[in-house]
Amino acid sequence: MKHKDILNKLRTSGLRPTKQRVEIAKFLFDREKTFHFTVESLNKLLLKKITTKFALATIYNTIHAFKKAGHLNKVEVRGKRSYFDTNITNHHHFYDSDTSELIDIDVKDVIIQKLPKAPNGKKIKNVEVFINLKN
Amino acid sequence: MKHKDILNKLRTSGLRPTKQRVEIAKFLFDREKTFHFTVESLNKLLLKKITTKFALATIYNTIHAFKKAGHLNKVEVRGKRSYFDTNITNHHHFYDSDTSELIDIDVKDVIIQKLPKAPNGKKIKNVEVFINLKN
DNA sequence: TTTCACTTTAGAATTATTATAAACTAGAAT
DNA sequence: ATTCTAGTTTATAATAATTCTAAAGTGAAA
């Protein structure tokens, strides 16, 4: 993803392309594979690049703005901190509690044959399958 | 569940039947249906009964002891606080984010036809299906 | 270039949970 | 029954993730 595309991505999302946002967007979206991170891990990774100064709150702000704009998925897992996922298609997860690692599962790899119907007045928004791993 | 049974349940779990534990155990397990709660909601409900004085820490301690003994399931949901579930059989959940309510789904009501295999060296511990609801 | 709404920032505030250390207590030993 | 002790409870402090706040900074429209 080129610099121009990043700027465009931000602008079309109604986000002013500030230095911080551009840096974070490049870091997150300029990659082949899907990327899972927590605010803490992202902060550490960004610190190594030092190109721009980031307050922790800015990372929170930016991540939430990206989330709101639909560029990130929030994945809440057992435990305290939230994970974010650059894969915004509908998908499922393996979770390895030993390493606290999330691994994407393509929707195609999970086929659900039977689901209960939603309680009265409610509809199903989405179905998340969470596969916990052990050794 | 009679008083004696509660005492027994505690003792066989290696938990000394203190006033607090007995009260909490009665409140949690002396009911027909499965019961979902957070530490906060449980605390509020117990406060209404005032029979015994409970420190918040005691509720945490007790709930964790019950969890450890296998009398409660911990269900971690999007958001901050953890839910506990008196249904300790394997099962799935509806989650209604409007009301922050969890609803049990029997394992029989979800049939999964296809699952990916676990990453190398890992095994599947369990599969949780989480159905998010909307109106 | 000026202006201003949107952003960033540092630090304080909040919230859920865990840790601590002193006071308490169930039940075994005397 | 009384004493003893390890397991518990308690109030409070500590921790950790996240959100809030208010002041300073900055894109970009005019």
mmCIF file of all heavy atoms in Angstrom, chain B residues 71-107:
data_model
loop_
_atom_site.group_PDB
_atom_site.id
_atom_site.type_symbol
_atom_site.label_atom_id
_atom_site.label_comp_id
_atom_site.label_asym_id
_atom_site.label_seq_id
_atom_site.Cartn_x
_atom_site.Cartn_y
_atom_site.Cartn_z
ATOM 1 N N HIS B 71 -17.359 -25.823 40.099
ATOM 2 C CA HIS B 71 -18.786 -25.563 40.291
ATOM 3 C C HIS B 71 -19.295 -24.395 39.461
ATOM 4 O O HIS B 71 -20.495 -24.131 39.413
ATOM 5 C CB HIS B 71 -19.093 -25.291 41.766
ATOM 6 C CG HIS B 71 -18.678 -26.401 42.675
ATOM 7 N ND1 HIS B 71 -18.942 -27.727 42.379
ATOM 8 C CD2 HIS B 71 -18.001 -26.413 43.853
ATOM 9 C CE1 HIS B 71 -18.444 -28.489 43.350
ATOM 10 N NE2 HIS B 71 -17.869 -27.715 44.241
ATOM 11 N N LEU B 72 -18.366 -23.676 38.863
ATOM 12 C CA LEU B 72 -18.757 -22.544 38.025
ATOM 13 C C LEU B 72 -17.916 -22.536 36.756
ATOM 14 O O LEU B 72 -16.771 -22.971 36.756
ATOM 15 C CB LEU B 72 -18.507 -21.216 38.758
ATOM 16 C CG LEU B 72 -19.396 -20.838 39.926
ATOM 17 C CD1 LEU B 72 -18.880 -19.578 40.584
ATOM 18 C CD2 LEU B 72 -20.841 -20.656 39.463
ATOM 19 N N ASN B 73 -18.514 -22.020 35.720
ATOM 20 C CA ASN B 73 -17.795 -21.781 34.469
ATOM 21 C C ASN B 73 -17.514 -20.297 34.343
ATOM 22 O O ASN B 73 -18.372 -19.483 34.678
ATOM 23 C CB ASN B 73 -18.672 -22.167 33.272
ATOM 24 C CG ASN B 73 -18.211 -23.450 32.628
ATOM 25 O OD1 ASN B 73 -17.135 -23.960 32.924
ATOM 26 N ND2 ASN B 73 -19.034 -23.964 31.754
ATOM 27 N N LYS B 74 -16.352 -19.965 33.854
ATOM 28 C CA LYS B 74 -16.072 -18.567 33.584
ATOM 29 C C LYS B 74 -16.310 -18.341 32.093
ATOM 30 O O LYS B 74 -15.838 -19.103 31.261
ATOM 31 C CB LYS B 74 -14.613 -18.261 33.932
ATOM 32 C CG LYS B 74 -14.301 -16.789 33.981
ATOM 33 C CD LYS B 74 -12.884 -16.566 34.482
ATOM 34 C CE LYS B 74 -12.589 -15.092 34.700
ATOM 35 N NZ LYS B 74 -11.235 -14.891 35.245
ATOM 36 N N VAL B 75 -17.043 -17.301 31.800
ATOM 37 C CA VAL B 75 -17.323 -16.986 30.403
ATOM 38 C C VAL B 75 -16.811 -15.589 30.132
ATOM 39 O O VAL B 75 -17.318 -14.617 30.693
ATOM 40 C CB VAL B 75 -18.838 -17.011 30.114
ATOM 41 C CG1 VAL B 75 -19.090 -16.875 28.625
ATOM 42 C CG2 VAL B 75 -19.466 -18.272 30.646
ATOM 43 N N GLU B 76 -15.801 -15.488 29.322
ATOM 44 C CA GLU B 76 -15.283 -14.153 29.075
ATOM 45 C C GLU B 76 -15.861 -13.600 27.793
ATOM 46 O O GLU B 76 -15.803 -14.212 26.738
ATOM 47 C CB GLU B 76 -13.766 -14.135 29.110
ATOM 48 C CG GLU B 76 -13.335 -13.716 30.513
ATOM 49 C CD GLU B 76 -11.945 -14.130 30.866
ATOM 50 O OE1 GLU B 76 -11.657 -15.335 30.826
ATOM 51 O OE2 GLU B 76 -11.134 -13.244 31.187
ATOM 52 N N VAL B 77 -16.431 -12.436 27.931
ATOM 53 C CA VAL B 77 -17.217 -11.858 26.856
ATOM 54 C C VAL B 77 -16.596 -10.537 26.458
ATOM 55 O O VAL B 77 -15.850 -9.931 27.219
ATOM 56 C CB VAL B 77 -18.653 -11.600 27.355
ATOM 57 C CG1 VAL B 77 -19.577 -11.380 26.181
ATOM 58 C CG2 VAL B 77 -19.150 -12.740 28.201
ATOM 59 N N ARG B 78 -16.972 -10.077 25.275
ATOM 60 C CA ARG B 78 -16.530 -8.758 24.852
ATOM 61 C C ARG B 78 -16.781 -7.779 25.988
ATOM 62 O O ARG B 78 -17.840 -7.776 26.580
ATOM 63 C CB ARG B 78 -17.254 -8.283 23.597
ATOM 64 C CG ARG B 78 -18.550 -8.958 23.242
ATOM 65 C CD ARG B 78 -19.024 -8.547 21.862
ATOM 66 N NE ARG B 78 -18.344 -9.280 20.812
ATOM 67 C CZ ARG B 78 -17.209 -8.892 20.210
ATOM 68 N NH1 ARG B 78 -16.640 -7.755 20.507
ATOM 69 N NH2 ARG B 78 -16.650 -9.636 19.291
ATOM 70 N N GLY B 79 -15.831 -6.958 26.259
ATOM 71 C CA GLY B 79 -16.036 -5.988 27.317
ATOM 72 C C GLY B 79 -15.145 -6.307 28.480
ATOM 73 O O GLY B 79 -14.236 -7.106 28.364
ATOM 74 N N LYS B 80 -15.399 -5.687 29.561
ATOM 75 C CA LYS B 80 -14.430 -5.717 30.631
ATOM 76 C C LYS B 80 -14.647 -6.807 31.657
ATOM 77 O O LYS B 80 -13.730 -7.437 32.104
ATOM 78 C CB LYS B 80 -14.400 -4.364 31.325
ATOM 79 C CG LYS B 80 -13.693 -3.335 30.474
ATOM 80 C CD LYS B 80 -14.047 -1.948 30.909
ATOM 81 C CE LYS B 80 -13.691 -0.975 29.797
ATOM 82 N NZ LYS B 80 -14.154 0.361 30.095
ATOM 83 N N ARG B 81 -15.862 -6.959 32.074
ATOM 84 C CA ARG B 81 -16.025 -7.853 33.196
ATOM 85 C C ARG B 81 -16.328 -9.280 32.772
ATOM 86 O O ARG B 81 -16.893 -9.523 31.719
ATOM 87 C CB ARG B 81 -17.083 -7.307 34.132
ATOM 88 C CG ARG B 81 -18.410 -7.099 33.474
ATOM 89 C CD ARG B 81 -19.304 -6.264 34.362
ATOM 90 N NE ARG B 81 -18.854 -4.874 34.371
ATOM 91 C CZ ARG B 81 -19.562 -3.878 34.884
ATOM 92 N NH1 ARG B 81 -20.701 -4.123 35.459
ATOM 93 N NH2 ARG B 81 -19.118 -2.644 34.835
ATOM 94 N N SER B 82 -15.929 -10.182 33.619
ATOM 95 C CA SER B 82 -16.138 -11.599 33.346
ATOM 96 C C SER B 82 -17.503 -12.050 33.840
ATOM 97 O O SER B 82 -17.979 -11.571 34.869
ATOM 98 C CB SER B 82 -15.085 -12.424 34.061
ATOM 99 O OG SER B 82 -13.815 -12.127 33.565
ATOM 100 N N TYR B 83 -18.079 -12.956 33.107
ATOM 101 C CA TYR B 83 -19.316 -13.576 33.538
ATOM 102 C C TYR B 83 -19.010 -14.944 34.105
ATOM 103 O O TYR B 83 -18.055 -15.600 33.687
ATOM 104 C CB TYR B 83 -20.258 -13.759 32.357
ATOM 105 C CG TYR B 83 -20.904 -12.496 31.873
ATOM 106 C CD1 TYR B 83 -20.179 -11.554 31.164
ATOM 107 C CD2 TYR B 83 -22.244 -12.245 32.123
ATOM 108 C CE1 TYR B 83 -20.761 -10.384 30.709
ATOM 109 C CE2 TYR B 83 -22.847 -11.084 31.669
ATOM 110 C CZ TYR B 83 -22.094 -10.153 30.969
ATOM 111 O OH TYR B 83 -22.683 -9.001 30.525
ATOM 112 N N PHE B 84 -19.839 -15.346 35.052
ATOM 113 C CA PHE B 84 -19.755 -16.711 35.557
ATOM 114 C C PHE B 84 -21.093 -17.373 35.298
ATOM 115 O O PHE B 84 -22.125 -16.709 35.185
ATOM 116 C CB PHE B 84 -19.405 -16.713 37.040
ATOM 117 C CG PHE B 84 -18.007 -16.245 37.296
ATOM 118 C CD1 PHE B 84 -17.736 -14.888 37.434
ATOM 119 C CD2 PHE B 84 -16.968 -17.151 37.367
ATOM 120 C CE1 PHE B 84 -16.435 -14.447 37.642
ATOM 121 C CE2 PHE B 84 -15.662 -16.710 37.577
ATOM 122 C CZ PHE B 84 -15.404 -15.363 37.716
ATOM 123 N N ASP B 85 -21.036 -18.684 35.229
ATOM 124 C CA ASP B 85 -22.181 -19.448 34.776
ATOM 125 C C ASP B 85 -22.292 -20.679 35.660
ATOM 126 O O ASP B 85 -21.334 -21.431 35.810
ATOM 127 C CB ASP B 85 -21.895 -19.857 33.316
ATOM 128 C CG ASP B 85 -23.084 -20.465 32.633
ATOM 129 O OD1 ASP B 85 -23.977 -20.953 33.327
ATOM 130 O OD2 ASP B 85 -23.107 -20.452 31.394
ATOM 131 N N THR B 86 -23.470 -20.872 36.243
ATOM 132 C CA THR B 86 -23.642 -22.057 37.087
ATOM 133 C C THR B 86 -23.831 -23.321 36.254
ATOM 134 O O THR B 86 -23.883 -24.413 36.806
ATOM 135 C CB THR B 86 -24.847 -21.892 38.031
ATOM 136 O OG1 THR B 86 -26.014 -21.590 37.259
ATOM 137 C CG2 THR B 86 -24.608 -20.780 39.042
ATOM 138 N N ASN B 87 -23.958 -23.148 34.966
ATOM 139 C CA ASN B 87 -24.037 -24.306 34.078
ATOM 140 C C ASN B 87 -22.611 -24.725 33.730
ATOM 141 O O ASN B 87 -21.933 -24.053 32.973
ATOM 142 C CB ASN B 87 -24.810 -23.914 32.817
ATOM 143 C CG ASN B 87 -24.943 -25.074 31.836
ATOM 144 O OD1 ASN B 87 -24.339 -26.128 32.033
ATOM 145 N ND2 ASN B 87 -25.735 -24.866 30.812
ATOM 146 N N ILE B 88 -22.180 -25.846 34.305
ATOM 147 C CA ILE B 88 -20.793 -26.256 34.097
ATOM 148 C C ILE B 88 -20.650 -27.313 33.018
ATOM 149 O O ILE B 88 -19.573 -27.825 32.782
ATOM 150 C CB ILE B 88 -20.137 -26.752 35.398
ATOM 151 C CG1 ILE B 88 -20.992 -27.841 36.019
ATOM 152 C CG2 ILE B 88 -19.933 -25.613 36.373
ATOM 153 C CD1 ILE B 88 -20.347 -28.505 37.206
ATOM 154 N N THR B 89 -21.766 -27.635 32.345
ATOM 155 C CA THR B 89 -21.645 -28.540 31.209
ATOM 156 C C THR B 89 -21.113 -27.742 30.038
ATOM 157 O O THR B 89 -21.166 -26.513 30.033
ATOM 158 C CB THR B 89 -23.011 -29.138 30.826
ATOM 159 O OG1 THR B 89 -23.854 -28.070 30.362
ATOM 160 C CG2 THR B 89 -23.656 -29.812 32.024
ATOM 161 N N ASN B 90 -20.607 -28.440 29.058
ATOM 162 C CA ASN B 90 -20.096 -27.769 27.874
ATOM 163 C C ASN B 90 -21.281 -27.178 27.107
ATOM 164 O O ASN B 90 -22.239 -27.867 26.817
ATOM 165 C CB ASN B 90 -19.367 -28.807 27.014
ATOM 166 C CG ASN B 90 -18.350 -28.164 26.115
ATOM 167 O OD1 ASN B 90 -17.667 -27.232 26.552
ATOM 168 N ND2 ASN B 90 -18.256 -28.607 24.891
ATOM 169 N N HIS B 91 -21.203 -25.896 26.813
ATOM 170 C CA HIS B 91 -22.315 -25.299 26.086
ATOM 171 C C HIS B 91 -21.893 -24.002 25.431
ATOM 172 O O HIS B 91 -20.773 -23.544 25.604
ATOM 173 C CB HIS B 91 -23.513 -25.079 27.013
ATOM 174 C CG HIS B 91 -23.253 -24.107 28.120
ATOM 175 N ND1 HIS B 91 -22.438 -24.389 29.195
ATOM 176 C CD2 HIS B 91 -23.704 -22.850 28.322
ATOM 177 C CE1 HIS B 91 -22.400 -23.356 29.994
ATOM 178 N NE2 HIS B 91 -23.148 -22.397 29.498
ATOM 179 N N HIS B 92 -22.793 -23.425 24.670
ATOM 180 C CA HIS B 92 -22.486 -22.203 23.929
ATOM 181 C C HIS B 92 -23.342 -21.052 24.441
ATOM 182 O O HIS B 92 -24.140 -21.237 25.353
ATOM 183 C CB HIS B 92 -22.719 -22.458 22.441
ATOM 184 C CG HIS B 92 -21.984 -23.653 21.926
ATOM 185 N ND1 HIS B 92 -20.615 -23.706 21.877
ATOM 186 C CD2 HIS B 92 -22.411 -24.856 21.484
ATOM 187 C CE1 HIS B 92 -20.238 -24.882 21.411
ATOM 188 N NE2 HIS B 92 -21.315 -25.603 21.170
ATOM 189 N N HIS B 93 -23.138 -19.879 23.842
ATOM 190 C CA HIS B 93 -23.872 -18.708 24.340
ATOM 191 C C HIS B 93 -24.379 -17.770 23.246
ATOM 192 O O HIS B 93 -23.708 -17.549 22.250
ATOM 193 C CB HIS B 93 -22.974 -17.885 25.270
ATOM 194 C CG HIS B 93 -22.692 -18.558 26.571
ATOM 195 N ND1 HIS B 93 -21.529 -19.246 26.807
ATOM 196 C CD2 HIS B 93 -23.426 -18.681 27.706
ATOM 197 C CE1 HIS B 93 -21.565 -19.755 28.030
ATOM 198 N NE2 HIS B 93 -22.698 -19.436 28.599
ATOM 199 N N PHE B 94 -25.562 -17.252 23.527
ATOM 200 C CA PHE B 94 -26.015 -16.044 22.849
ATOM 201 C C PHE B 94 -25.494 -14.888 23.683
ATOM 202 O O PHE B 94 -25.439 -14.985 24.919
ATOM 203 C CB PHE B 94 -27.552 -15.922 22.876
ATOM 204 C CG PHE B 94 -28.285 -16.779 21.902
ATOM 205 C CD1 PHE B 94 -29.165 -17.757 22.356
ATOM 206 C CD2 PHE B 94 -28.133 -16.601 20.527
ATOM 207 C CE1 PHE B 94 -29.883 -18.544 21.457
ATOM 208 C CE2 PHE B 94 -28.847 -17.386 19.626
ATOM 209 C CZ PHE B 94 -29.724 -18.351 20.097
ATOM 210 N N TYR B 95 -25.165 -13.791 23.020
ATOM 211 C CA TYR B 95 -24.837 -12.598 23.787
ATOM 212 C C TYR B 95 -25.600 -11.421 23.220
ATOM 213 O O TYR B 95 -25.511 -11.116 22.019
ATOM 214 C CB TYR B 95 -23.335 -12.314 23.767
ATOM 215 C CG TYR B 95 -22.975 -11.092 24.578
ATOM 216 C CD1 TYR B 95 -23.217 -11.067 25.952
ATOM 217 C CD2 TYR B 95 -22.420 -9.962 23.987
ATOM 218 C CE1 TYR B 95 -22.908 -9.952 26.710
ATOM 219 C CE2 TYR B 95 -22.107 -8.840 24.750
ATOM 220 C CZ TYR B 95 -22.358 -8.852 26.108
ATOM 221 O OH TYR B 95 -22.055 -7.743 26.864
ATOM 222 N N ASP B 96 -26.362 -10.788 24.087
ATOM 223 C CA ASP B 96 -27.152 -9.628 23.692
ATOM 224 C C ASP B 96 -26.444 -8.375 24.198
ATOM 225 O O ASP B 96 -26.477 -8.071 25.385
ATOM 226 C CB ASP B 96 -28.547 -9.743 24.314
ATOM 227 C CG ASP B 96 -29.471 -8.641 23.835
ATOM 228 O OD1 ASP B 96 -28.970 -7.622 23.305
ATOM 229 O OD2 ASP B 96 -30.694 -8.794 23.983
ATOM 230 N N SER B 97 -25.802 -7.680 23.282
ATOM 231 C CA SER B 97 -24.987 -6.549 23.736
ATOM 232 C C SER B 97 -25.847 -5.375 24.200
ATOM 233 O O SER B 97 -25.374 -4.518 24.950
ATOM 234 C CB SER B 97 -24.027 -6.103 22.633
ATOM 235 O OG SER B 97 -24.741 -5.777 21.463
ATOM 236 N N ASP B 98 -27.109 -5.334 23.784
ATOM 237 C CA ASP B 98 -27.983 -4.265 24.268
ATOM 238 C C ASP B 98 -28.198 -4.380 25.773
ATOM 239 O O ASP B 98 -28.124 -3.396 26.496
ATOM 240 C CB ASP B 98 -29.359 -4.344 23.589
ATOM 241 C CG ASP B 98 -29.286 -3.847 22.159
ATOM 242 O OD1 ASP B 98 -28.473 -2.941 21.900
ATOM 243 O OD2 ASP B 98 -30.012 -4.374 21.312
ATOM 244 N N THR B 99 -28.474 -5.582 26.204
ATOM 245 C CA THR B 99 -28.783 -5.777 27.618
ATOM 246 C C THR B 99 -27.608 -6.370 28.382
ATOM 247 O O THR B 99 -27.701 -6.599 29.582
ATOM 248 C CB THR B 99 -29.973 -6.750 27.763
ATOM 249 O OG1 THR B 99 -29.600 -8.006 27.181
ATOM 250 C CG2 THR B 99 -31.202 -6.229 27.036
ATOM 251 N N SER B 100 -26.500 -6.623 27.672
ATOM 252 C CA SER B 100 -25.336 -7.281 28.275
ATOM 253 C C SER B 100 -25.712 -8.629 28.878
ATOM 254 O O SER B 100 -25.183 -9.016 29.912
ATOM 255 C CB SER B 100 -24.702 -6.415 29.362
ATOM 256 O OG SER B 100 -24.233 -5.224 28.812
ATOM 257 N N GLU B 101 -26.629 -9.302 28.216
ATOM 258 C CA GLU B 101 -27.143 -10.543 28.771
ATOM 259 C C GLU B 101 -26.589 -11.750 28.036
ATOM 260 O O GLU B 101 -26.459 -11.743 26.818
ATOM 261 C CB GLU B 101 -28.667 -10.524 28.651
ATOM 262 C CG GLU B 101 -29.376 -11.497 29.560
ATOM 263 C CD GLU B 101 -30.885 -11.480 29.262
ATOM 264 O OE1 GLU B 101 -31.328 -10.695 28.386
ATOM 265 O OE2 GLU B 101 -31.598 -12.252 29.887
ATOM 266 N N LEU B 102 -26.273 -12.749 28.801
ATOM 267 C CA LEU B 102 -25.806 -14.017 28.240
ATOM 268 C C LEU B 102 -26.946 -15.026 28.316
ATOM 269 O O LEU B 102 -27.639 -15.093 29.326
ATOM 270 C CB LEU B 102 -24.674 -14.577 29.081
ATOM 271 C CG LEU B 102 -23.226 -14.234 28.792
ATOM 272 C CD1 LEU B 102 -22.354 -15.056 29.734
ATOM 273 C CD2 LEU B 102 -22.869 -14.560 27.360
ATOM 274 N N ILE B 103 -27.099 -15.821 27.278
ATOM 275 C CA ILE B 103 -28.113 -16.874 27.299
ATOM 276 C C ILE B 103 -27.454 -18.184 26.883
ATOM 277 O O ILE B 103 -26.731 -18.225 25.885
ATOM 278 C CB ILE B 103 -29.266 -16.540 26.324
ATOM 279 C CG1 ILE B 103 -29.896 -15.189 26.686
ATOM 280 C CG2 ILE B 103 -30.314 -17.649 26.328
ATOM 281 C CD1 ILE B 103 -30.785 -14.612 25.595
ATOM 282 N N ASP B 104 -27.693 -19.205 27.668
ATOM 283 C CA ASP B 104 -27.094 -20.503 27.361
ATOM 284 C C ASP B 104 -27.684 -21.140 26.116
ATOM 285 O O ASP B 104 -28.871 -21.020 25.841
ATOM 286 C CB ASP B 104 -27.341 -21.481 28.523
ATOM 287 C CG ASP B 104 -26.335 -21.293 29.634
ATOM 288 O OD1 ASP B 104 -25.498 -20.385 29.528
ATOM 289 O OD2 ASP B 104 -26.394 -22.056 30.608
ATOM 290 N N ILE B 105 -26.825 -21.836 25.406
ATOM 291 C CA ILE B 105 -27.271 -22.654 24.279
ATOM 292 C C ILE B 105 -26.772 -24.065 24.535
ATOM 293 O O ILE B 105 -25.577 -24.268 24.785
ATOM 294 C CB ILE B 105 -26.662 -22.154 22.948
ATOM 295 C CG1 ILE B 105 -27.096 -20.714 22.662
ATOM 296 C CG2 ILE B 105 -27.062 -23.071 21.802
ATOM 297 C CD1 ILE B 105 -26.377 -20.096 21.465
ATOM 298 N N ASP B 106 -27.681 -24.990 24.487
ATOM 299 C CA ASP B 106 -27.304 -26.376 24.703
ATOM 300 C C ASP B 106 -26.354 -26.843 23.598
ATOM 301 O O ASP B 106 -26.495 -26.443 22.447
ATOM 302 C CB ASP B 106 -28.573 -27.229 24.687
ATOM 303 C CG ASP B 106 -28.348 -28.566 25.340
ATOM 304 O OD1 ASP B 106 -27.691 -29.428 24.705
ATOM 305 O OD2 ASP B 106 -28.783 -28.743 26.480
ATOM 306 N N VAL B 107 -25.386 -27.697 23.952
ATOM 307 C CA VAL B 107 -24.475 -28.213 22.922
ATOM 308 C C VAL B 107 -25.240 -28.871 21.791
ATOM 309 O O VAL B 107 -24.812 -28.813 20.642
ATOM 310 C CB VAL B 107 -23.466 -29.280 23.430
ATOM 311 C CG1 VAL B 107 -22.117 -28.676 23.661
ATOM 312 C CG2 VAL B 107 -23.987 -30.015 24.614
#
